[in-house]
Amino acid sequence: IMLHSTLALSLLLIAVSSNLAMAIKKEKRAPQTLSRGWGDEITWVQTYEEGLYQAKKSNRPLMVIHHLEDCQYCQALKKAFAENEEIQEMAQNNFVMLNLMHETTDKNLSPDGQYVPRIMFIDPSLTVRADITGRYSNRLYTYEPQDIPFLIENMKKALRLIQTEL
């Protein structure tokens, strides 16, 4: 009986400690509220105005992602975006990043309508890059999960265009 209770106790301790370890692990990587699932390692700005300010100050392009929680296309793109290491690294190191769940008052950010998901780039000179578009003529700034390689090319283009134009 003694052996049995010792075994039960150690199993209980193991269960408790592994739950504790998971809780601590979760605690350590507190989800960053501003990421909204687009990438927790990325530093996100809170507002469009802050994004413009940071872009100008840091001489990095601002990437604005318009999305909505209840949009399945946004969710699918978000998953692909968050899982792509190249995108995550570029977003963290070379861009000022903003994801918005509401429209901005800047009409330049909806040149062809207010749809989601929509990804646009703004140059450090605060020019909206209407020339960096996705693959669809009816929604110029939308991307689908399979367009991730294309989005990567557009991110590189946004970086390249800065260097050549300043």
Side-chain angles (χ1 to χ4, degrees):
I1 289 192
M2 188 66 191
L3 180 69
H4 187 262
S5 61
T6 309
L7 186 64
L9 186 62
S10 30
L11 283 176
L12 181 69
L13 280 173
I14 290 167
V16 167
S17 60
S18 69
N19 279 350
L20 193 63
M22 286 192 318
I24 289 169
K25 205 170 179 180
K26 268 201 199 99
E27 197 54 50
K28 203 182 87 192
R29 245 181 84 74
Q32 191 196 95
T33 48
L34 291 177
S35 98
R36 300 188 180 94
W38 290 88
D40 289 336
E41 298 302 316
I42 297 170
T43 308
W44 297 89
V45 293
Q46 203 157 355
T47 62
Y48 181 53
E49 292 67 31
E50 185 192 344
L52 293 174
Y53 173 77
Q54 291 293 346
K56 199 177 173 81
K57 197 176 89 166
S58 66
N59 197 36
R60 291 183 302 177
L62 168 63
M63 183 173 178
V64 182
I65 305 170
H66 284 97
H67 65 105
L68 292 170
E69 275 306 317
D70 56 2
C71 154
Q72 66 188 35
Y73 304 104
C74 300
Q75 292 300 338
L77 181 63
K78 179 196 296 191
K79 187 177 183 322
F81 187 98
E83 286 171 0
N84 186 288
E85 282 180 35
E86 192 175 358
I87 283 189
Q88 292 292 309
E89 199 206 336
M90 271 198 290
Q92 177 63 31
N93 298 321
N94 308 108
F95 287 85
V96 174
M97 297 295 296
L98 172 65
N99 70 75
L100 287 178
M101 293 172 65
H102 57 83
E103 283 298 333
T104 63
T105 51
D106 187 344
K107 295 287 171 263
N108 296 314
L109 284 186
S110 50
D112 66 338
Q114 299 187 338
Y115 51 85
V116 290
R118 194 165 85 245
I119 300 180
M120 299 192 71
F121 297 94
I122 292 96
D123 209 61
S125 65
L126 306 188
T127 312
V128 174
R129 304 289 333 202
D131 54 342
I132 303 180
T133 56
R135 295 186 20 217
Y136 309 98
S137 54
N138 59 335
R139 293 186 164 195
L140 293 175
Y141 305 97
T142 203
Y143 296 84
E144 294 189 332
Q146 66 269 25
D147 302 329
I148 287 293
F150 198 75
L151 178 58
I152 290 171
E153 283 314 302
N154 276 349
M155 289 172 82
K156 290 178 177 168
K157 187 174 172 185
L159 292 169
R160 222 174 26 247
L161 289 172
I162 292 178
Q163 268 108 39
T164 56
E165 287 178 10
L166 280 179

